[in-house]
Amino acid sequence: MSGKLKGKGGLEGYLEAFKRFQNGAGGPSWLRDVRQAAIQRSAELGFPTVRDEHWKFTNLAPLAKKTFRAASGGGKITLDDVAPFVFRGQESARLVFVNGRYVEELSDPCAQPGGVIACSLAQSLGTHKELVEQHLAKHLDYERDFFAVLNTAFMADGGFVYVPARALVQRPIHLVFGTTKTSSPVVTHPRNLIMVGEAAEAAIVEEYVSLGGDEYFTNAVSELVVDEGAVLEHYRVERESERAYNIGTVRVQQGRGSNVTCHGVFLGGALVRNNMHPVLAGEGAECVLNGVFMPRGRQHIDNFMWVEHASPHCGSRQYYNGILDDKASGVFSGRIIVHKDAQKTDAKQTNRNLLLSDEAQMDSKPQLEIYADDVKCTHGATIGQLDDEAIFYLRSRGIAAETARTLLLFGFAAENLERMREEPIRRYVEDLVTGRLPRGEILKKLS
Amino acid sequence: MLEIKNLHVSVEGRKILKGFSLKVDAGEVHSIMGPNGSGKSTLASVLAGRDGYEVTQGQVLYRGRDLLEMEAEERACEGVFMAFQYPVEIPGVGSIQFLTAALNAIRKHRGEEELDAFEALKLFKDKVKQLHMSDEMLHRSVNEGFSGGEKKKNEIFQMAVLEPSLAILDETDSGLDIDALRIVADGVNALRSPERAMLVITHYQRLLNYIVPDYVHVLVDGRIVRSGGKELALHLEEHGYSWAGERDPAAPAGASA
Ligand SMILES: Nc1ncnc2c1ncn2[C@@H]1O[C@H](COP(=O)(O)OP(=O)(O)OP(=O)(O)O)[C@@H](O)[C@H]1O
Ligand SMILES: [Mg+2]
């Protein structure tokens, strides 16, 4: 799109951009209908404000006011630019999206045994029409989630993963979304559709990065449909530019006895919203939301958990740890909703936060909505500083005070990192986290 | 090696140590016994450099230097080691990572070559074996979920790795079963040498059967009220601390107030 097309800011800008997008985007008629319905719903919902109870702690005004041009691919990115995005010691499939579009030359979907498919959503519309039509946009929350609906209106590309029943994904699938330097701020709406069949197993990583981009907006949605008895290890690594906006929604639909772990690592972005919305729809399903967020400077990271227990005997765990420095702010809202029939629910939530500066701020809010009578729900939140006793213990062994603090900060994040079962991915993430700690380089020598 | 002169220490405005004096030479093992709350841990903490203690009077010289002027980590690098009465659990920090950092900080301070991860691990495994401990604890976070006895053993293991010149053991025997007590005592005895000194804080003379001290001191209400040889511990066991405080005319200056 030309930079000269000066769009209007706010909702109106999106509505206008939609007309051009819908004309140019093509696609099957059912998809055009879905998009059309979504833009209408977006217009009805409008940008949330702090008066909206789900957005109390995050002021979207700067994002709402800003004009973002719709990005549609482009950007001169080479293999060298994406070379850092590899998991050492593990062959993995890599799908690279630049400014919202799949770039074949930068990607290596690598063949996987057992009929596993990893390709771009745009491709899948041609090659796997039925699967896409059956699942795309089927589970979103049209009632309340403005950004997921907006993404639906503009969805064009993203990761498409299909793991047939009983298949085992041997190489983790790594989806990399990068935004390049552009003449004016752009918005992308990455859309991922991930289906894991009955008793299948998969590990999938979504990573959001800047490839030179500075101020831009990523509005991502992932739909994870996990069938009976399937096991999914899902990772989301957010390391956008520190002036970027990232709003990501992960909607997980879980079948009977399925087991899903969603790891999250949030490092970048000026304003980040992490929407996690698992629905434990089948009996005996288990879900773990495990995340660490580390805002600094003036970054703001808002974690919004919405865990629905819709069937009996399901278990959910939320473990979110935050490390906040400078004038950064963070939010953790953890809502657990236990539907009427979801007896024997076992839900637990912990949110622990470290404030490294007096000016850092954290709002933590558990919310339990329980309509069944035989359930076990617990929650706990802490906001504090590093433990003086622990610092002294390390210093009393000869470790300098600064190093002691770095070790303890790492230890704090390590609680989350240790839950990541895929070792090469864990090491990759560990490096990113270590890199963000003050004097983190000293940790490299110790393991 | 260590000379404590008329030390007065307050915590949150409360006087805890009230004129504590002690001289420890290299090669010596001193035991400090005393009732709960008499100030034993306060003494150990002040020597190790814990914050929150106000020294209102007195002096501590370590190898001729003013110990109280030094940061906690510098003291450790200079060879002071305290085995904690209550070792701290540090979730997420691996024992190997922690001990490698400590060992290399001390080695660097001494002008020795730092060990790489591989060499350090080998050293840790050797020490574990020498001490007849299990190397399982190496692969856990520091003290996390350890039993009381495991924590105490871990303190001794750290001491064995760091090879301090002055070791202060704060009730390292409390809560140990007989086997663990032997392991701890053997670890301490293995480190005894003419260049090292030890301060062994304990309630029970039991430990002193294994770690035989050169001197025993009785601390009551912030002061040494009686000093003697190892037989003093036996006597204490029989007669209790009040005896020690009341009837010793030869107690150090300031003891009979
Ligand atoms: N941080 C503190 N704040 C307030 N009082 C303290 C603090 N630390 C120690 N004290 C007090 O100082 C006194 C001496 O405590 P200390 O721990 O040195 O005794 P101790 O001889 O080691 O006792 P124990 O045999 O029970 O270990 C006690 O009365 C204790 O309550
Ligand atoms: Mg004590």
Side-chain angles (χ1 to χ4, degrees):
Chain A
M1 296 269 117
S2 145
K4 289 192 191 81
L5 265 174
K6 188 128 178 73
K8 287 181 194 154
L11 189 58
E12 249 176 273
Y14 290 95
L15 300 180
E16 248 174 50
F18 180 78
K19 287 181 208 146
R20 292 192 298 275
F21 169 76
Q22 183 77 314
N23 285 336
S29 67
W30 65 264
L31 180 60
R32 299 177 63 81
D33 292 347
V34 171
R35 287 180 184 140
Q36 191 62 48
I39 198 70
Q40 266 156 25
R41 184 65 192 143
S42 305
E44 286 162 26
L45 286 169
F47 265 93
T49 68
V50 285
R51 284 187 303 279
D52 183 329
E53 72 152 312
H54 300 151
W55 290 90
K56 234 179 60 213
F57 302 105
T58 296
N59 182 3
L60 287 170
L63 176 68
K65 275 197 296 234
K66 195 145 232 102
T67 305
F68 295 95
R69 190 159 55 80
S72 53
K76 293 184 199 71
I77 294 300
T78 65
L79 271 173
D80 283 346
D81 297 319
V82 294
F85 309 114
V86 291
F87 309 128
R88 264 168 294 144
Q90 167 91 62
E91 207 188 328
S92 57
R94 187 173 66 181
L95 303 170
V96 179
F97 300 81
V98 178
N99 297 338
R101 295 303 178 130
Y102 181 62
V103 183
E104 204 175 330
E105 307 81 73
L106 301 176
S107 303
D108 176 14
C110 82
Q112 305 244 24
V116 175
I117 301 161
C119 65
S120 77
L121 184 68
Q123 283 171 339
S124 74
L125 284 169
T127 51
H128 306 92
K129 303 196 230 336
E130 301 77 25
L131 278 175
V132 185
E133 187 172 356
Q134 203 183 327
H135 291 287
L136 190 67
K138 286 296 185 291
H139 300 291
L140 283 190
D141 187 340
Y142 285 88
E143 272 314 302
R144 79 183 158 87
D145 196 343
F146 169 76
F147 288 101
V149 178
L150 188 69
N151 171 291
T152 303
F154 285 95
M155 63 185 171
D157 212 350
F160 174 88
V161 177
Y162 176 70
V163 184
R166 282 167 294 281
L168 199 142
V169 173
Q170 292 180 342
R171 300 172 191 92
I173 297 164
H174 190 183
L175 311 171
V176 180
F177 298 88
T179 304
T180 62
K181 192 163 185 292
T182 50
S183 54
S184 58
V186 295
V187 54
T188 59
H189 300 275
R191 180 65 170 235
N192 303 307
L193 178 59
I194 292 162
M195 289 164 285
V196 186
E198 191 183 328
E201 239 180 86
I204 294 166
V205 183
E206 296 174 22
E207 185 165 6
Y208 297 87
V209 302
S210 162
L211 293 171
D214 180 32
E215 195 180 18
Y216 57 89
F217 175 23
T218 307
N219 178 33
V221 170
S222 300
E223 289 173 282
L224 279 45
V225 184
V226 185
D227 287 350
E228 194 170 325
V231 178
L232 173 63
E233 182 102 346
H234 179 259
Y235 297 76
R236 200 144 54 104
V237 181
E238 181 276 309
R239 45 188 193 127
E240 306 273 29
S241 116
E242 286 193 18
R243 290 187 65 207
Y245 299 83
N246 179 297
I247 294 188
T249 300
V250 176
R251 172 69 175 84
V252 193
Q253 183 71 13
Q254 286 192 238
R256 190 188 179 96
S258 62
N259 184 306
V260 175
T261 306
C262 291
H263 304 287
V265 180
F266 302 86
L267 304 176
L271 188 158
V272 173
R273 167 81 160 201
N274 161 30
N275 287 320
M276 296 299 309
H277 184 183
V279 177
L280 299 150
E283 218 173 298
E286 299 277 336
C287 176
V288 176
L289 306 181
N290 173 51
V292 58
F293 55 102
M294 304 173 65
R296 64 183 176 193
R298 290 179 173 276
Q299 284 180 276
H300 176 81
I301 299 182
D302 178 345
N303 303 284
F304 188 82
M305 313 285 115
W306 187 277
V307 177
E308 281 189 58
H309 282 259
S311 273
H313 294 285
C314 292
S316 69
R317 294 288 178 269
Q318 300 173 49
Y319 306 106
Y320 262 72
N321 279 9
I323 300 176
L324 300 92
D325 205 350
D326 305 322
K327 295 183 172 175
S329 49
V331 182
F332 179 85
S333 334
R335 188 180 295 239
I336 300 171
I337 301 154
V338 181
H339 291 264
K340 190 160 90 323
D341 299 328
Q343 301 297 0
K344 304 284 179 195
T345 285
D346 178 3
K348 193 175 155 190
Q349 174 191 102
T350 54
N351 167 231
R352 307 203 308 132
N353 305 286
L354 281 181
L355 302 184
L356 304 187
S357 110
D358 290 342
E359 290 172 294
Q361 198 191 322
M362 181 69 207
D363 289 291
S364 184
K365 189 171 75 160
Q367 290 172 300
L368 306 181
E369 252 182 67
I370 302 175
Y371 304 104
D373 44 36
D374 184 8
V375 303
K376 204 165 88 192
C377 287
T378 61
H379 61 85
T382 58
I383 299 173
Q385 278 83 39
L386 282 176
D387 177 10
D388 286 336
E389 268 299 295
I391 293 177
F392 174 62
Y393 191 76
L394 298 179
R395 292 178 66 199
S396 79
R397 299 302 183 242
I399 298 171
E402 305 264 271
T403 309
R405 280 192 199 97
T406 303
L407 271 169
L408 292 176
L409 288 177
F410 178 77
F412 186 78
E415 273 192 73
N416 298 99
L417 299 174
E418 279 163 9
R419 292 195 188 94
M420 302 179 177
R421 279 182 299 228
E422 296 280 331
E423 166 145 349
I425 303 175
R426 189 182 68 230
R427 289 197 168 275
Y428 179 83
V429 173
E430 221 170 74
D431 275 353
L432 298 177
V433 167
T434 312
R436 273 297 289 270
L437 296 174
R439 293 167 306 279
E441 63 291 344
I442 54 174
L443 294 167
K444 296 246 156 67
K445 288 199 293 187
L446 301 176
S447 43
Chain B
M1 172 163 297
L2 179 72
E3 198 173 357
I4 306 172
K5 295 182 200 162
N6 189 31
L7 189 65
H8 289 252
V9 174
S10 301
V11 180
E12 290 170 7
R14 238 184 87 197
K15 293 189 175 116
I16 310 292
L17 293 183
K18 305 166 183 174
F20 182 97
S21 298
L22 181 68
K23 192 160 176 288
V24 179
D25 284 325
E28 294 177 351
V29 173
H30 290 242
S31 171
I32 295 181
M33 303 181 78
N36 293 123
S38 56
K40 303 182 297 296
S41 293
T42 302
L43 174 69
S45 297
V46 169
L47 295 179
R50 191 198 294 267
D51 289 336
Y53 296 87
E54 195 196 347
V55 176
T56 53
Q57 243 192 88
Q59 198 184 22
V60 180
L61 292 177
Y62 172 67
R63 289 172 154 168
R65 284 183 63 194
D66 184 349
L67 185 72
L68 302 180
E69 280 298 303
M70 293 154 67
E71 297 287 349
E73 55 265 43
E74 193 189 350
R75 298 179 199 199
C77 288
E78 287 286 328
V80 178
F81 179 95
M82 172 174 77
F84 283 55
Q85 182 174 4
Y86 304 110
V88 185
E89 297 197 19
I90 310 185
V93 177
S95 293
I96 293 174
Q97 193 182 34
F98 154 67
L99 212 47
T100 306
L103 181 63
N104 278 336
I106 291 175
R107 290 181 67 96
K108 199 169 164 190
H109 184 85
R110 289 183 192 146
E112 296 169 4
E113 190 105 7
E114 292 183 41
L115 300 186
D116 64 31
F118 182 78
E119 294 165 326
L121 183 61
K122 183 166 182 321
L123 177 95
F124 301 156
K125 289 199 161 157
D126 288 348
K127 291 286 180 191
V128 161
K129 209 179 266 164
Q130 280 169 26
L131 293 167
H132 303 287
M133 295 181 188
S134 143
D135 64 4
E136 186 243 3
M137 69 175 172
L138 284 177
H139 303 288
R140 288 163 66 177
S141 293
V142 179
N143 292 324
E144 193 191 22
F146 285 27
S147 70
E150 284 171 335
K151 284 181 185 166
K152 297 297 176 86
K153 283 197 271 184
N154 192 19
E155 296 291 286
I156 296 304
F157 166 64
Q158 291 172 31
M159 181 176 81
V161 168
L162 301 178
E163 302 184 320
S165 306
L166 173 65
I168 304 158
L169 310 183
D170 190 357
E171 291 198 29
T172 305
D173 54 328
S174 294
L176 296 187
D177 61 30
I178 282 292
D179 290 342
L181 189 67
R182 280 219 179 95
I183 287 177
V184 162
D186 288 349
V188 173
N189 287 328
L191 222 60
R192 280 180 89 151
S193 87
E195 294 82 44
R196 294 202 174 96
M198 297 189 183
L199 214 51
V200 180
I201 295 171
T202 181
H203 276 291
Y204 311 103
Q205 99 87 25
R206 184 180 71 147
L207 176 71
L208 305 179
N209 291 333
Y210 298 96
I211 306 172
V212 182
D214 300 300
Y215 301 95
V216 174
H217 310 277
V218 184
L219 179 65
V220 177
D221 193 22
R223 269 179 286 241
I224 290 182
V225 296
R226 194 178 277 250
S227 298
K230 58 176 186 280
E231 61 298 332
L232 180 55
L234 274 172
H235 207 85
L236 272 176
E237 191 99 324
E238 257 174 65
H239 301 281
Y241 293 117
S242 51
W243 158 81
E246 279 162 16
R247 299 229 241 125
D248 188 5
S256 50

